[in-house]
Amino acid sequence: KLHTNAIKKEFKIKNVRFATKEELAKITDGLVPGSVPPFGRPIIDLDLFVDTSVVENEKIAFNCGSLTDSIVMLSGDYRTVAV
């Protein structure tokens, strides 16, 4: 769940919204909602912000360029490659 009020407060902004399908495709070279991997640069030219609770789990699972395939990895490994 996205906590928009916390995001607004942290970044001192008034409005928060998800990108449209068209905006997302443009900034990710054609990815669709639900297929964007949880990585920033150099994989995708976007800043990466990760909720710290994500790595409280032993393993995490996520889609990575596909809506039908998932990657499962140790959260420690994710921290190593994502940061």
Side-chain angles (χ1 to χ4, degrees):
K1 184 175 179 177
L2 182 66
H3 297 281
T4 56
N5 288 335
I7 292 171
K8 290 177 191 178
K9 183 177 177 182
E10 177 69 24
F11 293 101
K12 298 176 178 69
I13 56 176
K14 290 184 179 183
N15 297 307
V16 174
R17 69 174 178 83
F18 285 104
T20 64
K21 285 191 327 184
E22 295 78 18
E23 291 168 334
L24 184 65
K26 184 177 180 179
I27 63 175
T28 62
D29 290 327
L31 294 176
V32 297
S35 71
V36 179
F39 300 103
R41 292 179 186 90
I43 296 170
I44 295 181
D45 191 24
L46 296 171
D47 293 330
L48 177 67
F49 300 92
V50 179
D51 186 316
T52 56
S53 68
V54 169
V55 294
E56 291 175 1
N57 298 297
E58 180 183 350
K59 294 179 182 177
I60 61 170
F62 52 88
N63 291 353
C64 196
S66 168
L67 294 175
T68 57
D69 301 298
S70 296
I71 292 175
V72 178
M73 68 181 352
L74 295 173
S75 60
D77 290 344
Y78 172 72
R79 288 184 64 172
T80 299
V81 297
V83 178

